[in-house]
Amino acid sequence: MKTLSLCIIVKNGEKYIEQCIESVFQAVSEVIVVDTGSTDNTLACIQRFHPQIFHYEWDDNFADARNFSLQQATCDFILVLDADEVLYPEDLPKLIALLETTTADGISILFHNFTDEKSEEIFNTHIGLRLFKNGCFHYEGAIHEQLTFNQTEKKPFLEISELRLKHYGYLKSNAGLKKHNRNIPILQTMLDKNPNDAFHLFNMGNEYMSLEDYTKALDYFEKADQHKDISMAYSPHLIYRRATCLHNMKRNEESLTVLADGLRCYPACTDMEYLRGIILKKMKRFTLALDSFNKCLSMGEPPPTLHFFNETSNFRPLIEMAEIYFLMDDYNKSLDCYMKAMRANGKKYHVIYEIGKVLNKILADRDRVAENLRNLYADHRFKANVMVTTDVLLNERMPEQARSEFEEYMNEDGNLDADIYFLRGRLLFCNKEYEKAFKSFAECIASDTLKGILPNARSRSFEYMTACCVLCRQLKDDFLSIARTVEEKTERIIYLAFIEAHGEPLEKESLSTIASVLSIVLSTNEYQVFEDVLSILNLVEGDEALLALAEVYYHNNYHDMAVKTILRSVKELDCINSTAVSILNKEFIL
């Protein structure tokens, strides 16, 4: 039986290191942890795994620390993990089986690099050589260290496995300034020695791209492109990120040129074709965008070496096509694409919300809309499905159908899930029972049993509570006591500004929350109350407040008011955006 050493280098990795070791513990014979100066609880929290702990004085060289960890390994194979990397539970048996059957010198693993704090469904991908025979490899490079085969007279036998790692290091809460402040000087030292090293230039560009300094990032990407070797693993990533950087800088024509060149070099790269479609869609070149997304479907999954993003050969292009058809008022084709997307990934509840919008356009009979939504599920009475259907129907202004769907949970007692309180509050709000609705939303916020079925139930509850207070002023004292407990400062200031006579200036990013509250108030048709609170828009910095108001009007079917508000924004502020242009086009103004 082949044995396996787990090798980790770490500094202050207490957040995930237990999960990391636990995920592979049944497969390994020894756990080797090289600590480079932890000051948190990292070493204490892993004692139950009986690791061999070595202390290493950090010398700004990852390869040195990695190689030190490899020197401690005594097993047949070595698995190298970082403390924020976790093997998927269902892949543990695959790892154990692979050790017994492989003849490879080294084995690559697929990384899921999570980018959304709230969901493990959103990630980009890369493959990395992390599992290999002991004694066959060593690391080179002070940062972004690479494995090098020890036998110069022959090439290693490598294979790509089906093993997958969860990687939490790209989350904004984890990839802080400390990492960038550590990495950039190391990279700069290496570039001082070899200024034309495309790999180091590429990695420096990645650092600045993570910091959203696209100008500096692009400068490094452009230099890397001049010296790149298209046979190297980083090269397609460089092309993709260079195109992404240009797109973020709104230099879309240049981005499309980069992608066209990239697809000539890597014609199997579905992800580049998908990005091309995204850019064309943003540019309103819908026919060309549809061509790109259809091509993604026909290209299929790219090879692992050309895969940077999940679901670009099925779910994602179908969603983009559905959105385009919706914008073109081709609702039947939009529905068809959404249904295909559901079949590609039935776990994405948010698609049901979009299907609700389309069904509301296609079907005049509201009961048929509800029926079609129920038909999306294998068991439409399953509690989570009932909650989503109810929420969708309420979004589509169908309170009677929503109430009928939710009836058995309307008067349920006990310690309920926060989603139940939220939906109960929405239904009471539709019935203009604002005090009861307020209480239910407050119970949603206070509940410790949020399952997260409904999107943003707690933040939406605050928006509805604000609207309840605007519509029923006797709730003011109760509202203020709750609103002042909101942790996020900007959100707290917004909620308080709706109720108090004065307020602090608000950044333009606050417009989304303000517009949501205004839309909730306007949905009640209490137009005088709505006009009384519009003064909050005067607190918002920038010129986009009128355009946000126009969207509120349009969403609530006040189309004439939306058009007048857009024209006022153009005349008084010389300000218009793509959404406003779309509204004007729909209303035959342009």
Side-chain angles (χ1 to χ4, degrees):
M1 181 176 178
K2 296 173 186 174
T3 56
L4 179 64
S5 301
L6 171 63
C7 291
I8 301 172
I9 65 170
V10 65
K11 179 181 179 181
N12 295 335
E14 65 178 357
K15 188 172 182 180
Y16 300 108
I17 194 168
E18 281 189 272
Q19 295 179 57
C20 170
I21 299 175
E22 180 71 47
S23 71
V24 298
F25 191 61
Q26 292 179 32
V28 303
S29 299
E30 61 182 4
V31 177
I32 294 164
V33 176
V34 173
D35 184 77
T36 62
S38 292
T39 56
D40 64 358
N41 199 41
T42 295
L43 301 181
C45 71
I46 60 173
Q47 289 303 311
R48 65 188 177 95
F49 301 110
H50 306 291
Q52 299 177 49
I53 297 174
F54 300 87
H55 295 278
Y56 183 88
E57 186 174 348
W58 179 242
D59 60 354
D60 283 345
N61 192 302
F62 280 90
D64 288 350
R66 292 275 191 216
N67 289 330
F68 178 79
S69 73
L70 301 188
Q71 290 162 15
Q72 317 312 315
T74 63
C75 294
D76 301 316
F77 277 79
I78 295 173
L79 174 64
V80 173
L81 294 180
D82 287 337
D84 55 9
E85 296 167 353
V86 179
L87 187 73
Y88 278 87
E90 56 269 32
D91 288 358
L92 179 60
K94 297 179 184 178
L95 171 60
I96 295 171
L98 182 62
L99 283 172
E100 293 306 310
T101 59
T102 187
T103 58
D105 297 309
I107 301 165
S108 292
I109 299 173
L110 180 65
F111 286 73
H112 288 180
N113 305 303
F114 298 134
T115 56
D116 189 312
E117 304 282 348
K118 299 177 182 178
S119 172
E120 292 190 357
E121 294 290 322
I122 301 173
F123 53 84
N124 59 50
T125 65
H126 76 277
I127 59 170
L129 182 59
R130 292 297 193 86
L131 179 61
F132 46 88
K133 287 180 180 177
N134 195 349
C136 281
F137 295 88
H138 68 278
Y139 280 97
E140 293 184 358
I143 191 169
H144 301 293
E145 60 283 7
Q146 301 292 299
L147 279 172
T148 301
F149 196 47
N150 291 337
Q151 301 179 42
T152 55
E153 68 276 7
K154 70 171 188 176
K155 291 185 178 181
F157 173 40
L158 305 177
E159 66 176 271
I160 299 173
S161 73
E162 295 180 353
L163 301 176
R164 301 163 302 152
L165 285 171
K166 303 178 181 182
H167 180 212
Y168 297 94
Y170 287 2
L171 295 174
K172 284 191 175 180
S173 60
N174 300 324
L177 277 174
K178 285 185 179 179
K179 286 187 178 181
H180 297 297
N181 291 338
R182 176 199 67 192
N183 293 351
I184 289 174
I186 298 174
L187 283 166
Q188 189 57 57
T189 298
M190 299 175 77
L191 285 170
D192 288 341
K193 296 176 183 176
N194 189 353
N196 294 328
D197 188 302
F199 183 61
H200 298 326
L201 289 164
F202 164 66
N203 286 318
M204 187 70 97
N206 288 336
E207 294 294 333
Y208 283 108
M209 193 166 181
S210 295
L211 292 167
E212 299 182 4
D213 187 340
Y214 300 120
T215 301
K216 280 189 177 180
L218 182 62
D219 183 50
Y220 282 103
F221 288 149
E222 299 282 11
K223 290 175 182 176
D225 185 68
Q226 293 171 19
H227 303 284
K228 72 176 183 293
D229 178 350
I230 64 169
S231 68
M232 300 299 289
Y234 71 84
S235 183
H237 293 265
L238 167 62
I239 293 169
Y240 186 86
R241 294 185 188 185
R242 184 178 163 217
T244 302
C245 198
L246 286 163
H247 174 50
N248 288 335
M249 297 171 73
K250 303 189 188 310
R251 292 164 61 177
N252 287 323
E253 293 291 354
E254 293 172 76
S255 184
L256 291 172
T257 299
V258 169
L259 288 170
D261 291 341
L263 283 163
R264 279 190 286 272
C265 290
Y266 308 102
C269 188
T270 311
D271 296 21
M272 289 188 193
E273 189 64 53
Y274 175 74
L275 179 57
R276 182 174 178 271
I278 291 292
I279 294 170
L280 289 166
K281 181 187 172 197
K282 290 271 181 76
M283 298 171 75
K284 310 295 183 187
R285 298 181 187 175
F286 292 146
T287 301
L288 290 174
L290 288 169
D291 288 344
S292 275
F293 294 132
N294 269 310
K295 191 171 181 181
C296 290
L297 299 177
S298 62
M299 290 171 72
E301 282 287 301
T305 54
L306 298 176
H307 203 359
F308 325 128
F309 213 52
N310 63 320
E311 300 183 310
T312 56
S313 65
N314 43 53
F315 179 80
R316 290 182 184 274
L318 285 166
I319 292 295
E320 297 298 334
M321 291 169 70
E323 290 178 1
I324 290 173
Y325 284 127
F326 189 88
L327 291 170
M328 296 170 66
D329 297 337
D330 193 338
Y331 302 121
N332 287 309
K333 283 186 178 178
S334 179
L335 180 61
D336 181 59
C337 289
Y338 279 129
M339 295 300 291
K340 287 178 179 176
M342 282 284 289
R343 288 192 286 273
N345 188 338
K347 297 178 182 179
K348 306 279 192 178
Y349 269 121
H350 72 86
V351 179
I352 298 173
Y353 288 80
E354 302 307 317
I355 290 174
K357 291 179 185 176
V358 180
L359 290 172
N360 200 9
K361 294 286 187 180
I362 294 173
L363 301 173
D365 186 336
R366 294 185 167 193
D367 290 332
R368 286 191 62 201
V369 172
E371 180 185 354
N372 275 266
L373 287 171
R374 287 192 291 270
N375 288 340
L376 295 173
Y377 311 105
D379 179 7
H380 70 87
R381 293 314 304 167
F382 180 62
K383 191 173 184 178
N385 296 340
V386 170
M387 289 194 292
V388 171
T389 302
T390 303
D391 202 33
V392 172
L393 290 169
L394 286 168
N395 283 1
E396 297 308 310
R397 313 292 173 89
M398 301 180 185
E400 290 182 16
Q401 288 72 19
R403 191 171 289 107
S404 175
E405 192 72 20
F406 195 67
E407 188 172 7
E408 67 180 283
Y409 299 108
M410 195 63 192
N411 298 307
E412 188 177 2
D413 294 322
N415 185 25
L416 304 180
D417 186 271
D419 289 334
I420 297 291
Y421 288 123
F422 174 69
L423 290 174
R424 187 180 292 177
R426 288 197 73 181
L427 287 163
L428 290 165
F429 186 89
C430 287
N431 209 36
K432 299 198 174 186
E433 298 179 66
Y434 301 129
E435 293 184 57
K436 289 182 180 179
F438 182 94
K439 181 180 177 183
S440 195
F441 291 127
E443 288 173 319
C444 171
I445 292 166
S447 174
D448 59 0
T449 56
L450 179 64
K451 293 182 179 177
I453 301 297
L454 305 181
N456 306 315
R458 283 196 170 129
S459 60
R460 291 163 72 196
S461 287
F462 271 112
E463 292 171 359
Y464 271 97
M465 288 175 70
T466 307
C468 285
C469 190
V470 166
L471 293 155
C472 183
R473 287 287 171 171
Q474 54 262 48
L475 293 169
K476 178 179 178 180
D477 291 340
D478 290 337
F479 174 77
L480 290 176
S481 66
I482 296 173
R484 290 189 177 111
T485 67
V486 176
E487 292 183 6
E488 216 288 314
K489 182 181 177 182
T490 301
E491 298 292 307
R492 182 173 66 251
I493 292 170
I494 293 169
Y495 301 138
L496 294 174
F498 268 99
I499 306 306
E500 296 177 328
H502 56 85
E504 301 178 32
L506 298 169
E507 297 179 355
K508 66 178 182 179
E509 287 76 17
S510 64
L511 272 175
S512 176
T513 301
I514 291 171
S516 293
V517 176
L518 289 174
S519 188
I520 293 167
V521 174
L522 187 56
S523 71
T524 65
N525 296 318
E526 301 276 359
Y527 197 72
Q528 187 57 54
V529 177
F530 173 77
E531 285 200 324
D532 290 342
V533 294
L534 284 183
S535 58
I536 191 174
L537 293 173
N538 296 328
L539 300 175
V540 181
E541 297 173 349
D543 299 330
E544 297 180 15
L546 286 176
L547 297 179
L549 177 59
E551 288 187 48
V552 170
Y553 282 131
Y554 201 77
H555 178 69
N556 287 275
N557 294 318
Y558 290 89
H559 291 191
D560 289 345
M561 286 299 299
V563 171
K564 289 178 182 177
T565 306
I566 292 168
L567 295 178
R568 180 184 163 198
S569 175
V570 172
K571 181 178 179 180
E572 297 180 8
L573 302 171
D574 193 26
C575 185
I576 194 167
N577 58 23
S578 59
T579 303
V581 171
S582 296
I583 291 172
L584 293 179
N585 276 319
K586 291 251 184 184
E587 296 302 306
F588 307 105
I589 298 298
L590 295 180

PDB file of all heavy atoms in Angstrom, residues 343-360:
ATOM      1  N   ARG A 343     -32.207  22.798 -16.759  1.00  0.00           N
ATOM      2  CA  ARG A 343     -31.841  21.382 -16.947  1.00  0.00           C
ATOM      3  C   ARG A 343     -30.334  21.179 -16.813  1.00  0.00           C
ATOM      4  O   ARG A 343     -29.874  20.122 -16.364  1.00  0.00           O
ATOM      5  CB  ARG A 343     -32.336  20.890 -18.309  1.00  0.00           C
ATOM      6  CG  ARG A 343     -33.858  20.722 -18.368  1.00  0.00           C
ATOM      7  CD  ARG A 343     -34.297  19.968 -19.614  1.00  0.00           C
ATOM      8  NE  ARG A 343     -34.204  20.766 -20.815  1.00  0.00           N
ATOM      9  CZ  ARG A 343     -35.168  21.580 -21.254  1.00  0.00           C
ATOM     10  NH1 ARG A 343     -36.306  21.682 -20.562  1.00  0.00           N
ATOM     11  NH2 ARG A 343     -35.015  22.272 -22.362  1.00  0.00           N
ATOM     12  N   ALA A 344     -29.565  22.213 -17.182  1.00  0.00           N
ATOM     13  CA  ALA A 344     -28.105  22.119 -17.053  1.00  0.00           C
ATOM     14  C   ALA A 344     -27.664  22.202 -15.604  1.00  0.00           C
ATOM     15  O   ALA A 344     -26.685  21.566 -15.196  1.00  0.00           O
ATOM     16  CB  ALA A 344     -27.428  23.219 -17.872  1.00  0.00           C
ATOM     17  N   ASN A 345     -28.377  22.999 -14.797  1.00  0.00           N
ATOM     18  CA  ASN A 345     -28.047  23.139 -13.377  1.00  0.00           C
ATOM     19  C   ASN A 345     -29.314  23.490 -12.612  1.00  0.00           C
ATOM     20  O   ASN A 345     -29.692  24.656 -12.523  1.00  0.00           O
ATOM     21  CB  ASN A 345     -26.976  24.208 -13.162  1.00  0.00           C
ATOM     22  CG  ASN A 345     -26.469  24.237 -11.729  1.00  0.00           C
ATOM     23  OD1 ASN A 345     -27.139  23.777 -10.806  1.00  0.00           O
ATOM     24  ND2 ASN A 345     -25.284  24.769 -11.538  1.00  0.00           N
ATOM     25  N   GLY A 346     -29.950  22.474 -12.053  1.00  0.00           N
ATOM     26  CA  GLY A 346     -31.217  22.671 -11.357  1.00  0.00           C
ATOM     27  C   GLY A 346     -31.083  23.236  -9.959  1.00  0.00           C
ATOM     28  O   GLY A 346     -32.085  23.468  -9.286  1.00  0.00           O
ATOM     29  N   LYS A 347     -29.843  23.492  -9.507  1.00  0.00           N
ATOM     30  CA  LYS A 347     -29.638  24.020  -8.158  1.00  0.00           C
ATOM     31  C   LYS A 347     -29.732  25.539  -8.103  1.00  0.00           C
ATOM     32  O   LYS A 347     -29.726  26.112  -7.017  1.00  0.00           O
ATOM     33  CB  LYS A 347     -28.263  23.583  -7.643  1.00  0.00           C
ATOM     34  CG  LYS A 347     -28.104  22.075  -7.497  1.00  0.00           C
ATOM     35  CD  LYS A 347     -26.693  21.736  -7.016  1.00  0.00           C
ATOM     36  CE  LYS A 347     -26.493  20.240  -6.902  1.00  0.00           C
ATOM     37  NZ  LYS A 347     -25.109  19.909  -6.455  1.00  0.00           N
ATOM     38  N   LYS A 348     -29.792  26.179  -9.240  1.00  0.00           N
ATOM     39  CA  LYS A 348     -29.754  27.648  -9.294  1.00  0.00           C
ATOM     40  C   LYS A 348     -31.169  28.216  -9.154  1.00  0.00           C
ATOM     41  O   LYS A 348     -31.871  28.443 -10.144  1.00  0.00           O
ATOM     42  CB  LYS A 348     -29.124  28.114 -10.604  1.00  0.00           C
ATOM     43  CG  LYS A 348     -27.748  27.532 -10.892  1.00  0.00           C
ATOM     44  CD  LYS A 348     -26.665  28.260 -10.146  1.00  0.00           C
ATOM     45  CE  LYS A 348     -25.297  27.865 -10.661  1.00  0.00           C
ATOM     46  NZ  LYS A 348     -24.206  28.569 -10.001  1.00  0.00           N
ATOM     47  N   TYR A 349     -31.575  28.454  -7.913  1.00  0.00           N
ATOM     48  CA  TYR A 349     -32.920  28.960  -7.669  1.00  0.00           C
ATOM     49  C   TYR A 349     -33.174  30.309  -8.337  1.00  0.00           C
ATOM     50  O   TYR A 349     -34.310  30.636  -8.696  1.00  0.00           O
ATOM     51  CB  TYR A 349     -33.162  29.092  -6.163  1.00  0.00           C
ATOM     52  CG  TYR A 349     -33.774  27.863  -5.513  1.00  0.00           C
ATOM     53  CD1 TYR A 349     -33.112  27.197  -4.484  1.00  0.00           C
ATOM     54  CD2 TYR A 349     -35.010  27.389  -5.915  1.00  0.00           C
ATOM     55  CE1 TYR A 349     -33.668  26.073  -3.876  1.00  0.00           C
ATOM     56  CE2 TYR A 349     -35.587  26.274  -5.308  1.00  0.00           C
ATOM     57  CZ  TYR A 349     -34.910  25.619  -4.295  1.00  0.00           C
ATOM     58  OH  TYR A 349     -35.469  24.519  -3.703  1.00  0.00           O
ATOM     59  N   HIS A 350     -32.121  31.108  -8.507  1.00  0.00           N
ATOM     60  CA  HIS A 350     -32.345  32.457  -9.047  1.00  0.00           C
ATOM     61  C   HIS A 350     -32.917  32.414 -10.463  1.00  0.00           C
ATOM     62  O   HIS A 350     -33.560  33.362 -10.911  1.00  0.00           O
ATOM     63  CB  HIS A 350     -31.051  33.276  -9.016  1.00  0.00           C
ATOM     64  CG  HIS A 350     -30.021  32.863 -10.019  1.00  0.00           C
ATOM     65  ND1 HIS A 350     -30.009  33.335 -11.316  1.00  0.00           N
ATOM     66  CD2 HIS A 350     -28.961  32.032  -9.921  1.00  0.00           C
ATOM     67  CE1 HIS A 350     -29.002  32.816 -11.970  1.00  0.00           C
ATOM     68  NE2 HIS A 350     -28.342  32.016 -11.155  1.00  0.00           N
ATOM     69  N   VAL A 351     -32.700  31.303 -11.183  1.00  0.00           N
ATOM     70  CA  VAL A 351     -33.248  31.184 -12.535  1.00  0.00           C
ATOM     71  C   VAL A 351     -34.774  31.189 -12.491  1.00  0.00           C
ATOM     72  O   VAL A 351     -35.437  31.699 -13.404  1.00  0.00           O
ATOM     73  CB  VAL A 351     -32.726  29.909 -13.220  1.00  0.00           C
ATOM     74  CG1 VAL A 351     -33.306  29.777 -14.625  1.00  0.00           C
ATOM     75  CG2 VAL A 351     -31.207  29.918 -13.279  1.00  0.00           C
ATOM     76  N   ILE A 352     -35.341  30.631 -11.425  1.00  0.00           N
ATOM     77  CA  ILE A 352     -36.805  30.576 -11.302  1.00  0.00           C
ATOM     78  C   ILE A 352     -37.388  31.986 -11.238  1.00  0.00           C
ATOM     79  O   ILE A 352     -38.476  32.243 -11.765  1.00  0.00           O
ATOM     80  CB  ILE A 352     -37.206  29.744 -10.072  1.00  0.00           C
ATOM     81  CG1 ILE A 352     -36.695  28.303 -10.250  1.00  0.00           C
ATOM     82  CG2 ILE A 352     -38.710  29.744  -9.862  1.00  0.00           C
ATOM     83  CD1 ILE A 352     -36.875  27.415  -9.050  1.00  0.00           C
ATOM     84  N   TYR A 353     -36.662  32.916 -10.631  1.00  0.00           N
ATOM     85  CA  TYR A 353     -37.118  34.309 -10.581  1.00  0.00           C
ATOM     86  C   TYR A 353     -37.182  34.894 -11.988  1.00  0.00           C
ATOM     87  O   TYR A 353     -38.120  35.643 -12.319  1.00  0.00           O
ATOM     88  CB  TYR A 353     -36.186  35.137  -9.691  1.00  0.00           C
ATOM     89  CG  TYR A 353     -36.336  34.839  -8.222  1.00  0.00           C
ATOM     90  CD1 TYR A 353     -35.725  33.731  -7.645  1.00  0.00           C
ATOM     91  CD2 TYR A 353     -37.100  35.652  -7.399  1.00  0.00           C
ATOM     92  CE1 TYR A 353     -35.861  33.449  -6.298  1.00  0.00           C
ATOM     93  CE2 TYR A 353     -37.246  35.392  -6.046  1.00  0.00           C
ATOM     94  CZ  TYR A 353     -36.623  34.277  -5.501  1.00  0.00           C
ATOM     95  OH  TYR A 353     -36.783  33.999  -4.171  1.00  0.00           O
ATOM     96  N   GLU A 354     -36.185  34.562 -12.813  1.00  0.00           N
ATOM     97  CA  GLU A 354     -36.182  35.064 -14.183  1.00  0.00           C
ATOM     98  C   GLU A 354     -37.286  34.407 -15.003  1.00  0.00           C
ATOM     99  O   GLU A 354     -37.941  35.065 -15.827  1.00  0.00           O
ATOM    100  CB  GLU A 354     -34.818  34.799 -14.828  1.00  0.00           C
ATOM    101  CG  GLU A 354     -33.636  35.409 -14.083  1.00  0.00           C
ATOM    102  CD  GLU A 354     -33.816  36.886 -13.826  1.00  0.00           C
ATOM    103  OE1 GLU A 354     -34.277  37.602 -14.745  1.00  0.00           O
ATOM    104  OE2 GLU A 354     -33.507  37.336 -12.704  1.00  0.00           O
ATOM    105  N   ILE A 355     -37.509  33.124 -14.764  1.00  0.00           N
ATOM    106  CA  ILE A 355     -38.610  32.436 -15.458  1.00  0.00           C
ATOM    107  C   ILE A 355     -39.943  33.067 -15.080  1.00  0.00           C
ATOM    108  O   ILE A 355     -40.830  33.235 -15.933  1.00  0.00           O
ATOM    109  CB  ILE A 355     -38.584  30.926 -15.121  1.00  0.00           C
ATOM    110  CG1 ILE A 355     -37.379  30.266 -15.788  1.00  0.00           C
ATOM    111  CG2 ILE A 355     -39.879  30.242 -15.567  1.00  0.00           C
ATOM    112  CD1 ILE A 355     -37.171  28.814 -15.412  1.00  0.00           C
ATOM    113  N   GLY A 356     -40.084  33.455 -13.817  1.00  0.00           N
ATOM    114  CA  GLY A 356     -41.305  34.146 -13.388  1.00  0.00           C
ATOM    115  C   GLY A 356     -41.544  35.425 -14.170  1.00  0.00           C
ATOM    116  O   GLY A 356     -42.669  35.718 -14.585  1.00  0.00           O
ATOM    117  N   LYS A 357     -40.470  36.199 -14.405  1.00  0.00           N
ATOM    118  CA  LYS A 357     -40.606  37.441 -15.178  1.00  0.00           C
ATOM    119  C   LYS A 357     -41.084  37.149 -16.599  1.00  0.00           C
ATOM    120  O   LYS A 357     -41.941  37.850 -17.134  1.00  0.00           O
ATOM    121  CB  LYS A 357     -39.259  38.171 -15.234  1.00  0.00           C
ATOM    122  CG  LYS A 357     -38.783  38.749 -13.922  1.00  0.00           C
ATOM    123  CD  LYS A 357     -37.424  39.418 -14.119  1.00  0.00           C
ATOM    124  CE  LYS A 357     -36.851  39.894 -12.795  1.00  0.00           C
ATOM    125  NZ  LYS A 357     -35.494  40.459 -12.971  1.00  0.00           N
ATOM    126  N   VAL A 358     -40.510  36.100 -17.203  1.00  0.00           N
ATOM    127  CA  VAL A 358     -40.866  35.772 -18.584  1.00  0.00           C
ATOM    128  C   VAL A 358     -42.302  35.270 -18.664  1.00  0.00           C
ATOM    129  O   VAL A 358     -43.077  35.681 -19.545  1.00  0.00           O
ATOM    130  CB  VAL A 358     -39.898  34.716 -19.160  1.00  0.00           C
ATOM    131  CG1 VAL A 358     -40.279  34.390 -20.600  1.00  0.00           C
ATOM    132  CG2 VAL A 358     -38.460  35.214 -19.102  1.00  0.00           C
ATOM    133  N   LEU A 359     -42.679  34.379 -17.745  1.00  0.00           N
ATOM    134  CA  LEU A 359     -44.053  33.861 -17.743  1.00  0.00           C
ATOM    135  C   LEU A 359     -45.065  34.986 -17.561  1.00  0.00           C
ATOM    136  O   LEU A 359     -46.153  34.967 -18.156  1.00  0.00           O
ATOM    137  CB  LEU A 359     -44.225  32.825 -16.632  1.00  0.00           C
ATOM    138  CG  LEU A 359     -43.505  31.486 -16.838  1.00  0.00           C
ATOM    139  CD1 LEU A 359     -43.595  30.642 -15.568  1.00  0.00           C
ATOM    140  CD2 LEU A 359     -44.112  30.731 -18.022  1.00  0.00           C
ATOM    141  N   ASN A 360     -44.710  35.981 -16.772  1.00  0.00           N
ATOM    142  CA  ASN A 360     -45.599  37.121 -16.544  1.00  0.00           C
ATOM    143  C   ASN A 360     -45.785  37.938 -17.819  1.00  0.00           C
ATOM    144  O   ASN A 360     -46.808  38.605 -18.001  1.00  0.00           O
ATOM    145  CB  ASN A 360     -45.033  38.002 -15.429  1.00  0.00           C
ATOM    146  CG  ASN A 360     -46.087  38.907 -14.814  1.00  0.00           C
ATOM    147  OD1 ASN A 360     -47.280  38.782 -15.085  1.00  0.00           O
ATOM    148  ND2 ASN A 360     -45.642  39.823 -13.971  1.00  0.00           N
TER     149      ASN A 360
END
